[in-house]
Amino acid sequence: MTSTRQMSRLAMAGLLAFVVIVSGTLSAGAQDTDQEAPPTPVFATNYEVHGLLSLPYAELNEPFTAYYDKEQDRSRTDYYDSEYQVYQFAAKSSPSASSYGSVYQFVYVPADFHKPGESRVHKLLDKAIERLPFRRHDDASAAKNHQDSHTVSAAPTTSQVKRVCFGVQGGPGYSVSAQTVLPDLRDFTYDSTGRCPHVAGGEHRESKCELWKQTTSVGDKKNVYKFWLKRDKQNSTQAIPVHYYMLGYDKLLGSHYDRYDISYFKYKVNGATDRAFELDVSGSKCGPMPGPGDSASEGERRARRVINNPIHEYVVEPHRYDHVDYHFEQFKSEYAQFTRGKYNSEQDERKGWFNFLHNLRFIHGHNRQRKSYKLAVNQYADENVSDLRYLRGRIHSKGYNGGLDYEQHHPGLKSGAGKAADQLPETFDWTVLGAVTPVKDQAICGSCWSFGTSGTVEGAYFVKTGKLLRLSQQQLVDCSWEFGNNGCDGGEDSRAYGYIMKVGGLSTEEDYGHYKAIDGKCHDKDVERPVKIKGFYNVTVNSVDALKHALVNYGPVSISIDASPMTFSFYSHGVYSDEKCKNDPDDLDHSVLAVGYTKIDGKLVWKVKNSWSTYWGNDGYIYIAADNNVCGVLDAPTVPIIDV
């Protein structure tokens, strides 16, 4: 097996390969174009090969190992050092004796975070109702959740990840067969012979390679495919794969829309032995996972094959994108309230489709890894992720922000004392205790700071009085400009506290008016402002105990985090921890609300409320690992001091 460290090296090698390709030096060395064309290459009918699938537009590198046995019509593909395994058996080799063949998937899934019987994700996994990357949103349950702020998930205590098996039986119109990882080159034409490209693995560096090409045009899309290969010295008719490259161009938009590379190494003829196809179910029965029905469209059938084994998309009729069309139409239907009126022209819809294609691949690719959290398609799936900066409106202030030192006012938390920290409960959740209002959607407005601020003031007021009021984010957006906030263009909780203290309080949503997601006209003098504060604490930086203490004693805490990684944008459920999520104070770009904490396998996890609607994340919440200050949770927490 390939170690994790080796896998990382391969991924880095793949990234280096991109530089070579883009700079035009992939086919480095003199090219002989005058020699007689060699015979059309064919690959062995039984092989083992290692490779790296690279998707630069999706920022993804996926190492894999494949076993292919055409004679027995069976295959196995392992991704990420066997973290995701796919076995495909045709009817004659199927362990289940299915007349249409069968597919078995071994995957790692994260812990569930709902009460038994309440989790949509849990139901999808355990019952395998759907293997598409959507989390079905129950409108009725969503409405109930908006009405009842106490409808919340239970604190998880189970293992972060577990290995499970799913079995898919073929059927009419969906016969399972072996999956090759090498494209059919019969429609390719010989181009030239020269030095092999410098790609992942390095074993072909000094060898001579043949270059074969194919160009296809479908509508406005023009795709160019290149394949580099070597010849077997003992049998010149047999090809040894080296590198596969695709670049797609869209004439309507005048830009490239797709790109992928597959590097091959350690190719071994007759390497797919019986041992490679032994199913390791570890004594557990594989759960059922239905295939497409008899009436399924060709797009849905292809979508199912790609979900079962992603390499299918790139080597079997790669010019087809009907599986993406199928997913995209589902997305538009599922998130109609977000896409309605969005596509005013063919160009607009095509851009959304392209963004969706690469986001979908990224989501699938992440979910094949052994991670403690999963991603899913959500309302942002047709967006260029770099354009989602508008959602992250936290502006960082330099220097002192006017808050009180938390540790100074709570001496029991000082280093060495430990008494206050020792008395804290092991788990704590204000959503269960009633101090948190329903999740809202800040929409196309960088007002996250107003939701973090209003959320912590709501909670602190509840702790003091036992009353939960829905306070106005719109008042903060409209009226706190004097203190350096910029409405929908960003702000900060400390500046909002300054405004609240000066004007004498924060109004309720009912009195001031509902949130509009625009910079409105301030009318704070015309309404009651019942919730007053007399200051705020800067909760001790990098102190887990201080944040837990503030949560337990003062209520939900406003925190600032780095929300720029793609994984954050498409987080679905599980314990979030991404090494790309930064924790430097200057990198914190989003304001959210810490509402509690729990432990999973003895490790502390923060429960955090976001302001991107209940369609995002775990019904609007995210669980963030507490070790190593992931995403900067401990960098700038604040909590107000209620004046009653």
Side-chain angles (χ1 to χ4, degrees), residues 318-359:
H319 59 279
R320 285 179 56 187
Y321 288 88
D322 50 348
H323 61 296
V324 182
D325 296 337
Y326 170 75
H327 287 309
F328 190 57
E329 290 304 316
Q330 277 203 322
F331 162 75
K332 290 193 295 182
S333 174
E334 182 78 14
Y335 297 96
Q337 68 187 81
F338 298 98
T339 60
R340 192 176 296 115
K342 190 174 186 178
Y343 306 127
N344 297 315
S345 66
E346 185 179 355
Q347 287 93 334
D348 289 341
E349 184 157 359
R350 190 77 62 86
K351 287 178 182 178
W353 185 94
F354 291 156
N355 291 334
F356 182 84
L357 164 67
H358 301 299
N359 291 334

Side-chain angles (χ1 to χ4, degrees), residues 69 81 99 127 197 210 236 251 287 298 367 385 409 421 437 592:
D69 181 358
D81 197 17
S99 57
K127 296 183 180 179
E210 296 173 14
S236 62
K251 298 175 185 177
E298 285 302 312
N367 289 346
V385 177
H409 289 78
T437 56
V592 287

